[in-house]
């Protein structure tokens, strides 16, 4: 696992079941700050609002201005002198390619990914253990369309695989290393 300070805040996108929250929690055990924006399950709230990021997030996603979000996240990382900061996002959020390009040098954009079958399977396995028990219909409603987007060429350079080709989930330390490269 890479343990040096990571210069750029990481925004972690990807489908449900890819392991975004698990990776964020793993990095938090290594001295990182993990901001979970997908709080629907626990509190049925918007994590962007809960973390006080609404104005900077809206400037980022709506106006394609990454500077203020990058500065805000870096300030949060620097206060406790954390090794890095990662913001994990809900599956429905997919940044357009021109925003990814505009973020270069300010934010590290990563997409945790796997095949549709692997992500759906991991999602259903997780849901069997929860009280909500969301099913296949929920996953498809919130994830199916992003797969068509994320397999397009402009996104390929930002993808980090969460699964081995066999469908077995990769170790979090391996995924973290690839994410921090």
């Amino acid at each position: 696992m890479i343990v040096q300070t990571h210069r750029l805040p990481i925004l972690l996108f990807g489908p449900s079941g890819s392991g975004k929250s698990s990776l964020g929690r793993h990095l938090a055990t290594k001295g990182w700050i993990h901001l979970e924006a997908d709080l629907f399950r626990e509190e049925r709230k918007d994590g962007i609002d809960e973390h006080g990021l609404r104005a900077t997030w809206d400037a980022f996603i709506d106006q394609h201005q990454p500077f203020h979000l990058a500065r805000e996240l870096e300030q949060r990382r620097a206060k406790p002198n954390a090794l890095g900061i990662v913001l994990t996002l809900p599956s429905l959020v997919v940044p357009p390619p021109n925003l990814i390009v505009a973020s270069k040098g300010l934010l590290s954009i990563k997409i945790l990914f796997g095949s549709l079958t692997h992500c759906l399977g991991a999602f259903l396995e997780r849901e069997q253990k929860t009280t909500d028990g969301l099913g296949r219909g929920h996953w498809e409603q919130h994830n199916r369309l992003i797969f068509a987007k994320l397999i397009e060429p402009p996104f390929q350079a930002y993808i980090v695989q969460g699964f081995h080709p066999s469908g077995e989930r990769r170790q979090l330390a391996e995924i973290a290393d690839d994410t921090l490269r």
Side-chain angles (χ1 to χ4, degrees):
M1 166 104 197
I2 299 171
V3 293
Q4 75 263 13
T5 301
H6 195 263
R7 189 177 72 76
L8 299 178
I10 295 175
L11 302 188
L12 191 57
F13 298 90
S16 295
S18 62
K20 300 179 305 281
S21 297
S22 296
L23 180 58
R25 287 190 297 270
H26 174 77
L27 289 170
T29 68
K30 306 298 182 191
W32 283 59
I33 294 172
H34 172 217
L35 301 177
E36 174 68 72
D38 192 0
L39 297 177
F40 176 78
R41 174 175 315 292
E42 291 84 16
E43 295 103 16
R44 308 254 190 273
K45 296 179 181 176
D46 184 323
I48 296 295
D49 289 333
E50 290 300 303
H51 292 300
L53 295 171
R54 176 55 58 201
T56 58
W57 176 258
D58 287 350
F60 170 73
I61 204 73
D62 295 334
Q63 300 164 12
H64 296 190
Q65 297 176 359
F67 176 77
H68 298 293
L69 179 61
R71 185 178 63 191
E72 175 64 28
L73 293 174
E74 177 52 29
Q75 287 173 347
R76 291 182 186 206
R77 184 208 61 80
K79 284 182 184 173
N81 203 22
L83 293 177
I85 187 165
V86 59
L87 174 62
T88 55
L89 294 144
S91 62
L92 287 173
V93 179
V94 178
N98 62 336
L99 180 54
I100 295 174
V101 171
S103 299
K104 195 167 187 115
L106 297 170
L107 296 163
S108 179
I109 306 286
K110 298 293 181 173
I111 301 166
L112 194 55
F113 201 67
S115 73
L116 189 144
T117 302
H118 298 151
C119 290
L120 173 59
F123 171 83
L124 293 173
E125 183 178 317
R126 179 187 74 206
E127 288 304 311
Q128 288 177 346
K129 301 172 187 171
T130 70
T131 56
D132 287 343
L134 300 173
R136 180 186 202 99
H138 176 89
W139 188 91
E140 289 190 5
Q141 177 184 359
H142 293 94
N143 292 274
R144 172 102 33 200
L145 293 178
I146 70 166
F147 270 86
K149 282 186 177 183
L150 294 178
I151 60 172
E152 293 175 359
F155 295 104
Q156 294 303 300
Y158 306 96
I159 286 182
V160 174
Q161 290 296 329
F163 300 86
H164 291 289
S166 65
E168 180 185 353
R169 189 176 294 281
R170 294 176 64 212
Q171 295 293 313
L172 288 170
E174 285 180 289
I175 298 170
D177 284 347
D178 287 351
T179 301
L180 300 179
R181 289 186 211 287

